[in-house]
Amino acid sequence: MIAGVRLHLEVGSAVIQRSPRVEIVSVRHHPLDLARIHVPDPKGEAGDLFTYGDPVRIEYGYRGGESAVWQGTLRALERVSRDQVCLTADSLALPLASTFITECYADDYSQPLAEHILAQAGLPMGRIDIPNELIPRLPLSCVPIWQAVHQLLHTLQRGHGHDRSRIALWLGANGLNLGDFDEPGDVPVIATGENLIKHLPDGKNLGLHRLETVLLPGLSHSRVFHLNDARLRISRSFRALHVKHSIASEGVRTFIKYGRECG
Protein backbone atom coordinates (compact mmCIF):
# COMPACT_ATOMS: atom_id res chain seq x y z
CA MET A 1 0.00 0.00 0.00
CA ILE A 2 1.05 3.61 -0.48
CA ALA A 3 3.88 4.76 1.81
CA GLY A 4 2.77 6.87 4.72
CA VAL A 5 -0.80 5.51 4.78
CA ARG A 6 -1.94 3.11 7.47
CA LEU A 7 -4.62 0.59 6.47
CA HIS A 8 -5.65 -2.39 8.59
CA LEU A 9 -8.60 -4.54 7.44
CA GLU A 10 -10.45 -7.24 9.38
CA VAL A 11 -13.46 -9.17 8.05
CA GLY A 12 -14.73 -11.88 10.35
CA SER A 13 -11.68 -13.75 11.62
CA ALA A 14 -9.61 -12.85 8.55
CA VAL A 15 -7.05 -10.07 8.31
CA ILE A 16 -6.82 -8.78 4.73
CA GLN A 17 -3.18 -8.17 3.95
CA ARG A 18 -3.66 -6.36 0.64
CA SER A 19 -6.50 -4.39 -0.91
CA PRO A 20 -6.28 -2.60 -4.28
CA ARG A 21 -9.10 -0.26 -3.27
CA VAL A 22 -11.00 0.70 -0.12
CA GLU A 23 -13.89 3.18 -0.10
CA ILE A 24 -15.88 4.49 2.87
CA VAL A 25 -19.01 6.47 1.98
CA SER A 26 -21.37 8.45 4.20
CA VAL A 27 -24.32 10.50 2.94
CA ARG A 28 -26.59 12.79 4.93
CA HIS A 29 -30.27 11.75 4.59
CA HIS A 30 -29.22 8.13 3.92
CA PRO A 31 -29.76 5.82 6.91
CA LEU A 32 -26.57 3.75 6.47
CA ASP A 33 -22.94 4.47 5.73
CA LEU A 34 -21.15 1.80 3.74
CA ALA A 35 -17.69 0.52 2.91
CA ARG A 36 -16.34 -1.28 -0.14
CA ILE A 37 -13.21 -3.41 0.12
CA HIS A 38 -11.61 -4.89 -2.99
CA VAL A 39 -9.85 -8.18 -2.23
CA PRO A 40 -7.56 -10.21 -4.54
CA ASP A 41 -9.11 -13.64 -5.12
CA PRO A 42 -7.32 -15.42 -7.98
CA LYS A 43 -8.29 -18.90 -6.72
CA GLY A 44 -12.00 -18.16 -6.07
CA GLU A 45 -11.78 -18.86 -2.35
CA ALA A 46 -13.48 -15.69 -1.05
CA GLY A 47 -16.92 -17.30 -0.97
CA ASP A 48 -15.67 -19.81 1.60
CA LEU A 49 -13.65 -17.30 3.60
CA PHE A 50 -16.29 -14.60 4.18
CA THR A 51 -19.88 -14.93 5.43
CA TYR A 52 -22.86 -12.56 5.37
CA GLY A 53 -22.99 -10.71 8.69
CA ASP A 54 -19.27 -10.98 9.43
CA PRO A 55 -18.01 -8.02 11.49
CA VAL A 56 -15.90 -5.58 9.49
CA ARG A 57 -13.28 -3.27 10.95
CA ILE A 58 -11.27 -0.74 8.93
CA GLU A 59 -8.52 1.30 10.52
CA TYR A 60 -7.22 3.95 8.14
CA GLY A 61 -5.12 7.09 8.28
CA TYR A 62 -1.49 8.13 8.32
CA ARG A 63 1.38 6.23 9.86
CA GLY A 64 2.45 8.02 12.99
CA GLY A 65 -0.39 10.51 12.61
CA GLU A 66 -4.14 10.85 12.51
CA SER A 67 -6.18 7.68 11.98
CA ALA A 68 -9.80 6.58 12.33
CA VAL A 69 -11.77 3.35 12.70
CA TRP A 70 -14.88 2.36 10.73
CA GLN A 71 -16.96 -0.64 11.81
CA GLY A 72 -19.87 -2.50 10.29
CA THR A 73 -21.12 -5.85 9.04
CA LEU A 74 -20.63 -7.61 5.72
CA ARG A 75 -23.63 -7.30 3.38
CA ALA A 76 -22.49 -8.67 0.04
CA LEU A 77 -19.65 -10.17 -1.96
CA GLU A 78 -19.42 -9.41 -5.68
CA ARG A 79 -16.85 -10.53 -8.21
CA VAL A 80 -15.59 -7.49 -10.13
CA SER A 81 -12.91 -9.20 -12.24
CA ARG A 82 -11.42 -12.61 -12.86
CA ASP A 83 -9.12 -12.34 -9.84
CA GLN A 84 -10.80 -9.77 -7.59
CA VAL A 85 -13.95 -9.47 -5.45
CA CYS A 86 -15.59 -6.49 -3.77
CA LEU A 87 -16.90 -6.78 -0.21
CA THR A 88 -19.70 -4.35 0.72
CA ALA A 89 -20.39 -3.64 4.38
CA ASP A 90 -23.10 -1.65 6.17
CA SER A 91 -22.24 0.57 9.12
CA LEU A 92 -23.21 0.01 12.75
CA ALA A 93 -26.46 1.88 12.01
CA LEU A 94 -27.79 -1.29 10.32
CA PRO A 95 -30.61 -1.74 12.93
CA LEU A 96 -32.25 1.37 11.44
CA ALA A 97 -32.88 -0.68 8.29
CA SER A 98 -33.09 -4.22 9.66
CA THR A 99 -35.48 -3.60 12.59
CA PHE A 100 -39.17 -3.35 11.64
CA ILE A 101 -41.89 -1.71 13.68
CA THR A 102 -45.67 -2.12 13.74
CA GLU A 103 -47.46 0.41 15.92
CA CYS A 104 -50.35 2.86 15.80
CA TYR A 105 -49.77 6.04 17.75
CA ALA A 106 -52.61 8.42 18.61
CA ASP A 107 -52.70 11.88 20.17
CA ASP A 108 -49.02 12.08 21.06
CA TYR A 109 -46.32 14.67 20.43
CA SER A 110 -43.73 14.25 17.72
CA GLN A 111 -40.61 14.55 19.91
CA PRO A 112 -41.45 11.65 22.30
CA LEU A 113 -42.80 9.69 19.31
CA ALA A 114 -39.44 9.96 17.55
CA GLU A 115 -37.62 8.94 20.72
CA HIS A 116 -39.85 5.89 21.19
CA ILE A 117 -39.48 4.79 17.56
CA LEU A 118 -35.70 5.17 17.57
CA ALA A 119 -35.36 3.32 20.87
CA GLN A 120 -36.53 0.16 19.07
CA ALA A 121 -33.19 0.07 17.20
CA GLY A 122 -31.31 -0.70 20.42
CA LEU A 123 -28.62 1.84 19.58
CA PRO A 124 -27.26 4.59 21.87
CA MET A 125 -29.40 7.71 21.81
CA GLY A 126 -27.83 11.04 20.94
CA ARG A 127 -29.71 14.25 20.24
CA ILE A 128 -33.33 14.31 19.05
CA ASP A 129 -34.40 17.82 18.08
CA ILE A 130 -37.46 18.14 15.83
CA PRO A 131 -40.58 20.38 16.00
CA ASN A 132 -42.79 19.12 18.83
CA GLU A 133 -46.32 19.02 17.46
CA LEU A 134 -49.39 17.00 18.43
CA ILE A 135 -49.80 14.07 16.04
CA PRO A 136 -53.43 12.86 15.99
CA ARG A 137 -52.60 9.52 14.37
CA LEU A 138 -49.48 7.75 13.06
CA PRO A 139 -50.01 4.15 11.84
CA LEU A 140 -46.85 2.13 11.16
CA SER A 141 -47.26 -1.25 9.51
CA CYS A 142 -44.10 -3.41 9.44
CA VAL A 143 -41.75 -0.66 8.25
CA PRO A 144 -38.03 -0.27 9.05
CA ILE A 145 -37.22 2.27 11.72
CA TRP A 146 -35.71 4.81 9.31
CA GLN A 147 -38.91 4.73 7.23
CA ALA A 148 -41.07 5.14 10.34
CA VAL A 149 -39.09 8.29 11.19
CA HIS A 150 -39.59 9.60 7.65
CA GLN A 151 -43.34 9.02 7.96
CA LEU A 152 -43.31 11.09 11.13
CA LEU A 153 -41.34 13.88 9.42
CA HIS A 154 -43.73 13.74 6.45
CA THR A 155 -46.64 14.22 8.86
CA LEU A 156 -44.91 17.23 10.40
CA GLN A 157 -44.46 18.74 6.95
CA ARG A 158 -47.93 18.04 5.54
CA GLY A 159 -49.90 18.56 8.74
CA HIS A 160 -48.01 21.43 10.36
CA GLY A 161 -46.03 23.09 7.57
CA HIS A 162 -42.54 22.36 8.88
CA ASP A 163 -39.68 22.20 6.37
CA ARG A 164 -38.03 18.78 6.65
CA SER A 165 -35.39 19.22 3.94
CA ARG A 166 -32.54 19.79 6.41
CA ILE A 167 -33.64 17.30 9.08
CA ALA A 168 -31.53 14.14 8.99
CA LEU A 169 -31.25 10.87 10.87
CA TRP A 170 -27.81 9.39 11.50
CA LEU A 171 -25.70 7.42 13.95
CA GLY A 172 -22.96 9.71 15.18
CA ALA A 173 -20.21 9.46 17.75
CA ASN A 174 -22.68 10.22 20.57
CA GLY A 175 -25.52 7.97 19.34
CA LEU A 176 -28.58 8.36 17.13
CA ASN A 177 -29.25 11.92 16.04
CA LEU A 178 -32.35 13.39 14.43
CA GLY A 179 -32.65 17.05 13.49
CA ASP A 180 -31.18 20.01 11.65
CA PHE A 181 -27.77 20.25 13.32
CA ASP A 182 -24.18 19.17 12.79
CA GLU A 183 -22.14 16.21 13.97
CA PRO A 184 -19.71 17.50 16.62
CA GLY A 185 -16.00 17.36 15.95
CA ASP A 186 -12.96 19.30 14.83
CA VAL A 187 -13.42 21.59 11.83
CA PRO A 188 -10.86 20.66 9.15
CA VAL A 189 -9.59 23.47 6.94
CA ILE A 190 -9.35 22.81 3.19
CA ALA A 191 -7.27 25.55 1.61
CA THR A 192 -5.66 26.55 -1.66
CA GLY A 193 -1.94 25.81 -1.66
CA GLU A 194 -2.25 23.37 1.23
CA ASN A 195 -4.67 20.47 0.78
CA LEU A 196 -7.25 21.63 -1.77
CA ILE A 197 -6.79 19.51 -4.89
CA LYS A 198 -9.94 20.27 -6.85
CA HIS A 199 -13.06 22.40 -6.30
CA LEU A 200 -15.97 22.12 -8.74
CA PRO A 201 -18.83 24.39 -7.64
CA ASP A 202 -22.29 23.98 -9.13
CA GLY A 203 -22.76 27.00 -11.37
CA LYS A 204 -26.42 27.65 -10.54
CA ASN A 205 -26.21 26.88 -6.81
CA LEU A 206 -29.08 24.40 -7.21
CA GLY A 207 -27.11 21.20 -6.75
CA LEU A 208 -24.07 19.98 -4.88
CA HIS A 209 -20.57 21.44 -5.05
CA ARG A 210 -17.67 18.98 -5.16
CA LEU A 211 -14.31 19.01 -3.42
CA GLU A 212 -11.28 16.77 -3.69
CA THR A 213 -8.70 16.88 -0.93
CA VAL A 214 -6.11 14.73 0.82
CA LEU A 215 -7.32 11.92 3.07
CA LEU A 216 -9.16 13.31 6.11
CA PRO A 217 -9.57 10.25 8.38
CA GLY A 218 -12.83 10.12 10.32
CA LEU A 219 -14.61 12.91 8.46
CA SER A 220 -18.25 11.98 7.86
CA HIS A 221 -21.38 13.63 6.56
CA SER A 222 -22.92 16.31 8.78
CA ARG A 223 -19.49 17.47 9.96
CA VAL A 224 -18.54 21.10 9.36
CA PHE A 225 -15.43 21.98 7.35
CA HIS A 226 -13.92 25.34 6.44
CA LEU A 227 -13.10 26.07 2.80
CA ASN A 228 -10.49 28.64 1.74
CA ASP A 229 -10.49 28.81 -2.05
CA ALA A 230 -8.26 31.70 -3.11
CA ARG A 231 -9.15 31.33 -6.80
CA LEU A 232 -12.90 31.70 -6.20
CA ARG A 233 -12.46 34.02 -3.18
CA ILE A 234 -14.41 31.72 -0.88
CA SER A 235 -13.69 31.58 2.84
CA ARG A 236 -16.65 29.95 4.58
CA SER A 237 -17.68 26.99 6.67
CA PHE A 238 -20.01 24.39 5.19
CA ARG A 239 -21.80 21.20 6.24
CA ALA A 240 -20.55 18.08 4.46
CA LEU A 241 -23.47 16.25 2.82
CA HIS A 242 -21.58 13.45 1.07
CA VAL A 243 -18.13 12.16 2.04
CA LYS A 244 -16.12 9.42 0.34
CA HIS A 245 -12.69 8.28 1.52
CA SER A 246 -10.78 6.42 -1.19
CA ILE A 247 -7.54 4.53 -0.61
CA ALA A 248 -6.33 3.06 -3.88
CA SER A 249 -3.14 2.48 -5.84
CA GLU A 250 -3.78 5.57 -7.98
CA GLY A 251 -4.27 7.91 -5.04
CA VAL A 252 -5.47 8.49 -1.49
CA ARG A 253 -8.22 11.08 -1.37
CA THR A 254 -11.29 12.38 0.42
CA PHE A 255 -14.14 13.60 -1.79
CA ILE A 256 -16.75 15.95 -0.30
CA LYS A 257 -20.05 17.28 -1.62
CA TYR A 258 -21.80 20.24 -0.03
CA GLY A 259 -24.58 22.67 -0.94
CA ARG A 260 -28.35 22.53 -1.07
CA GLU A 261 -30.02 19.86 1.06
CA CYS A 262 -32.98 17.84 -0.20
CA GLY A 263 -33.89 15.52 2.63
Side-chain angles (χ1 to χ4, degrees), residues 77-163:
L77 183 152
E78 177 186 8
R79 183 159 294 278
V80 292
S81 68
R82 180 181 299 178
D83 59 357
Q84 189 170 298
V85 297
C86 177
L87 308 179
T88 301
D90 293 310
S91 68
L92 295 177
L94 182 59
L96 293 177
S98 62
T99 304
F100 289 74
I101 183 171
T102 298
E103 295 278 359
C104 185
Y105 300 95
D107 298 324
D108 209 339
Y109 283 88
S110 52
Q111 181 91 11
L113 274 182
E115 294 172 357
H116 184 270
I117 291 170
L118 290 173
Q120 310 307 306
L123 296 169
M125 297 295 289
R127 176 182 171 189
I128 312 299
D129 187 2
I130 60 175
N132 198 26
E133 301 282 4
L134 182 65
I135 307 297
R137 184 176 175 84
L138 182 68
L140 304 172
S141 179
C142 197
V143 295
I145 287 176
W146 71 267
Q147 186 175 331
V149 171
H150 277 265
Q151 285 185 220
L152 175 59
L153 296 178
H154 182 74
T155 300
L156 283 174
Q157 178 175 307
R158 296 297 298 270
H160 299 277
H162 293 288
D163 181 9

Side-chain angles (χ1 to χ4, degrees), residues 181-198:
F181 51 88
D182 303 317
E183 173 73 10
D186 296 337
V187 179
V189 177
I190 303 172
T192 300
E194 296 180 18
N195 56 0
L196 176 59
I197 298 172
K198 187 181 296 184

